[in-house]
Amino acid sequence: MNLRYALREIRKNGFDRTWWRKRFFTHVVSQYFTEIRKPDSDPVTDREWDNLIILDACRYDLFYELYQKEPLQGDLQSRTSVQSGTPGFLSETFANDKFHDIVYVTGNPYVNTDLPSETFHAVESVWQDGWDDDLHTVHPDTMAERTVKIARQYPDKRIISHFLQPHAPFVGDVRLGQRETFAIREQAMGNNEARTRHQTPFELLDAGKVTREEVWEAYRSNLELAWPAVEQLLSELPGLTAVTADHGNALGERAWPFPIRVYGHPLGMLIPALTQVPWLTHTNEPRKEITAEPPDSESTTVDEATSERLRMLGYAE
């Protein structure tokens, strides 16, 4: 790191507790977990499935709590994810290989921004034309509808359907931490430098502005919003369907051996709250006959709108 740059950043942020916390996570804690004590993981590519439903940021105990109340078809277990955030999950799972037997249906722009363009046979970018400007996310019904359409269009391909729920924003019946200003509106008004980003529910919890119970209730409500769409796909998709998550969310669990609490899902924090995720499987016979073929042309443009949607999800400052 450039010493002059480092000193300038320290002068600018030296009294900001959150800034120091992020630096400590990045340069100390994450390095410990990824280089010294990386836990054994269970990549989705090592498991068998025809269709994979990814619930973004869904920890296992949250899924299990709702599953006990409203069971889904299939057998539920848990697995250990490879990373604690979407960019790391995608990179460590898919970046170093080709998966030309998979069509990836995604509500998360990171699939387009962080992976080589020919990683999959095709990518269906629902975040681009299925975005809900009022909710600042992709509604799960939109994801289910597009996934069924793509599964019919590509009957000989494995399908990944990457939902945004239960990742914030929490737009279920219980809402918390909603962003009051849509930054793209500021841009349209000529304020190109403005980037309004309100605190996420997990940042509010860290700051002591809400309770863990309040965040958990809204978090669960966001998963409940997606539950009917997941249930629909389990019933309609042919073959072996698995439901899982890319990572979880931390609500103040400690990153032992460091006596520091973790909130949200910073990369490299390989603690159980962030890596223990659901693995539910259900089979609609017959199984698919899968073939790999050269990729379809990728026409998605990764531009300012992409970055804006990542900001709306709380991924970027």
Side-chain angles (χ1 to χ4, degrees), residues 36-293:
I36 299 175
R37 207 197 75 177
K38 188 170 185 177
D40 292 335
S41 60
D42 186 10
V44 296
T45 48
D46 289 351
R47 295 214 173 192
E48 186 178 359
W49 46 270
D50 299 320
N51 314 291
L52 184 66
I53 300 170
I54 297 175
L55 297 170
D56 204 303
C58 184
R59 50 192 279 167
Y60 173 76
D61 53 358
L62 178 77
F63 188 97
Y64 181 72
E65 181 177 301
L66 188 52
Y67 177 81
Q68 285 191 305
K69 178 183 176 183
E70 300 180 37
L72 296 170
Q73 299 180 84
D75 299 318
L76 175 61
Q77 300 175 359
S78 67
R79 70 172 188 88
T80 301
S81 186
V82 297
Q83 255 293 350
S84 57
T86 302
F89 165 78
L90 292 172
S91 176
E92 294 192 30
T93 305
F94 301 113
N96 297 318
D97 206 345
K98 303 292 185 184
F99 300 89
H100 293 169
D101 61 340
I102 292 176
V103 176
Y104 205 121
V105 184
T106 182
N108 193 316
Y110 270 129
V111 177
N112 302 88
T113 63
D114 281 33
L115 291 176
S117 61
E118 295 190 347
T119 300
F120 306 106
H121 175 69
V123 175
E124 181 76 0
S125 303
V126 187
W127 60 266
Q128 191 174 47
D129 58 358
W131 187 263
D132 189 312
D133 287 331
D134 294 326
L135 297 179
H136 300 168
T137 189
V138 178
H139 195 282
D141 289 348
T142 303
M143 281 298 301
E145 179 183 355
R146 192 70 64 86
T147 301
V148 170
K149 177 183 176 182
I150 291 299
R152 291 170 179 166
Q153 183 177 342
Y154 296 94
D156 62 344
K157 298 292 182 288
R158 294 194 290 166
I159 305 295
I160 296 180
S161 181
H162 192 144
F163 283 68
L164 280 176
Q165 290 73 35
H167 192 288
F170 292 159
V171 293
D173 290 340
V174 181
R175 301 196 174 194
L176 181 68
Q178 300 306 293
R179 291 169 176 79
E180 299 168 359
T181 304
F182 190 28
I184 204 166
R185 179 176 180 273
E186 297 175 358
Q187 183 180 341
M189 295 173 66
N191 189 3
N192 293 322
E193 299 301 320
R195 292 291 182 269
T196 300
R197 181 186 177 277
H198 295 266
Q199 288 180 303
T200 69
F202 302 98
E203 290 168 338
L204 292 172
L205 177 60
D206 185 14
K209 297 178 181 178
V210 295
T211 66
R212 188 185 191 281
E213 290 70 26
E214 289 174 312
V215 175
W216 186 265
E217 185 180 8
Y219 188 22
R220 184 181 62 223
S221 180
N222 221 34
L223 180 58
E224 289 172 342
L225 179 69
W227 211 249
V230 174
E231 191 171 29
Q232 175 191 348
L233 293 182
L234 286 170
S235 296
E236 296 187 19
L237 292 178
L240 172 59
T241 299
V243 183
T244 190
D246 48 356
H247 57 85
N249 262 315
L251 291 89
E253 291 85 355
R254 295 190 187 275
W256 296 114
F258 301 95
I260 187 169
R261 295 188 183 276
V262 183
Y263 297 88
H265 49 87
L267 280 175
M269 299 296 109
L270 304 183
I271 61 175
L274 294 177
T275 59
Q276 188 179 26
V277 295
W279 183 262
L280 180 142
T281 55
H282 172 70
T283 303
N284 290 321
E285 298 292 352
R287 292 286 305 277
K288 291 183 179 182
E289 294 185 9
I290 304 297
T291 60
E293 296 178 287

